[in-house]
Amino acid sequence: MLPGAEPPVFARKNEIKLFVTPGNAEQALAVLKLDEKSAYRQMVCFFDTAAGALAAQGLILRARQKDGEPGQSTVKLRASEMADGLSEAERAIQPEQDWTREDLPTLSRSVDHESITEGLVAKVAAGEEKVKALFNDQQQKLVMARMKGFNWLSLRRFGPVETLVWKQQRKLDGFKEKVTVEIWRLKMDGRTLNVLEVSANAKAGTEAQAQELAKQFFGAARAAGLGEPSGQTKTSQVLEFFKPGK
């Protein structure tokens, strides 16, 4: 492979995600037979400027805190297939594919920071610690590669969101892989919104096989009455719900 060239698709992680609309949520809950006792709870926060400067550059900053465990943060860059516009720091990150539609995946690159001090995410959410404390040097470098001279103090919190996660416990008829189910409960100023997502990590040997798996997943979800793929994501819902002035 030539220096700087993209790796073949089959070497990438493929995650397939279905955003379940409120109109299909009741059917989804019945089909998946969800029991809150078998889920784990976590708090999730996103961070951006009030004007959405990071989202405009394809950057997503997120932190999670699972009950009783260290926190975890992620910096994700959603970029096009072409690598010409990527910095050296961005190009060095192994890309992965997110399927929210059957026909075209979104290419992204992520840097995770595991084992954040327990309770730090909650302190940042409460305004007791600075957002920058959640992200390590490598993550900060990724942000600065795309946002020259970025002021971390300009970030605001989008959330927190209470989530319930059922990890690798469910199956859809017609799709061989186990699925993860998440419910995100958004609350602010008397407004509420419950976001339900069903997702799966799939392995494929070729690009054609990856697309076939996505079709099988969405076909199985459609047959179960969970609805059609819309291209929507939990992230977009959270950023829109907590947008200043809403």
Side-chain angles (χ1 to χ4, degrees):
M1 184 186 306
L2 295 175
E6 292 286 334
V9 171
F10 58 82
R12 297 175 186 156
K13 172 185 173 183
N14 287 275
E15 186 172 10
I16 315 169
K17 307 174 182 179
L18 175 69
F19 171 84
V20 180
T21 64
N24 291 315
E26 185 175 348
Q27 169 72 6
L29 294 174
V31 168
L32 297 166
K33 299 180 175 64
L34 300 179
D35 178 1
E36 287 198 14
K37 294 180 180 178
S38 64
Y40 68 78
R41 298 176 183 273
Q42 64 179 2
M43 178 179 67
V44 180
C45 286
F46 289 83
F47 305 95
D48 203 338
T49 67
L54 271 66
Q57 292 295 321
L59 283 169
I60 299 168
L61 273 63
R62 181 188 65 216
R64 294 174 173 174
Q65 178 71 66
K66 185 177 176 181
D67 286 352
E69 294 189 6
Q72 182 252 351
S73 66
T74 297
V75 174
K76 176 179 283 192
L77 171 65
R78 287 182 173 152
S80 68
E81 186 75 37
M82 302 300 292
D84 292 345
L86 298 177
S87 68
E88 182 178 347
E90 293 165 344
R91 191 176 292 114
I93 302 169
Q94 179 75 11
E96 57 190 49
Q97 292 187 138
D98 292 333
W99 298 80
T100 57
R101 297 164 32 182
E102 294 184 22
D103 55 342
L104 187 65
T106 300
L107 197 66
S108 64
R109 291 167 167 81
S110 299
V111 176
D112 295 325
H113 176 27
E114 309 286 350
S115 300
I116 294 174
T117 303
E118 184 177 346
L120 180 57
V121 177
K123 289 182 179 179
V124 171
E128 299 171 2
E129 294 284 352
K130 293 181 173 59
V131 175
K132 192 175 182 180
L134 295 172
F135 301 94
N136 63 21
D137 290 344
Q138 185 182 7
Q139 291 173 312
Q140 293 177 32
K141 182 185 294 186
L142 178 59
V143 173
M144 300 301 286
R146 186 146 294 257
M147 306 283 292
K148 305 296 183 184
F150 179 70
N151 180 8
W152 286 81
L153 294 178
S154 67
L155 289 173
R156 69 179 302 278
R157 168 178 47 81
F158 290 71
V161 179
E162 176 192 352
T163 73
L164 292 174
V165 182
W166 289 263
K167 186 70 173 176
Q168 304 296 328
Q169 294 183 342
R170 297 292 180 267
K171 296 272 287 187
L172 293 175
D173 290 341
F175 185 70
K176 64 180 182 180
E177 305 291 343
K178 292 182 179 179
V179 301
T180 296
V181 184
E182 299 186 32
I183 295 178
W184 289 28
R185 293 170 172 167
L186 285 57
K187 300 177 183 179
M188 187 176 72
D189 298 335
R191 295 183 296 121
T192 62
L193 177 66
N194 290 332
V195 176
L196 176 61
E197 180 191 80
V198 181
S199 65
N201 291 318
K203 296 180 180 179
T206 66
E207 182 176 5
Q209 289 175 5
Q211 189 163 28
E212 180 60 27
L213 282 170
K215 289 183 178 180
Q216 290 175 9
F217 173 89
F218 290 122
R222 186 181 297 114
L226 306 189
E228 298 287 339
S230 63
Q232 295 186 72
T233 64
K234 301 189 304 298
T235 299
S236 63
Q237 292 293 303
V238 171
L239 294 178
E240 177 64 25
F241 185 87
F242 290 102
K243 182 165 51 175
K246 292 291 287 186

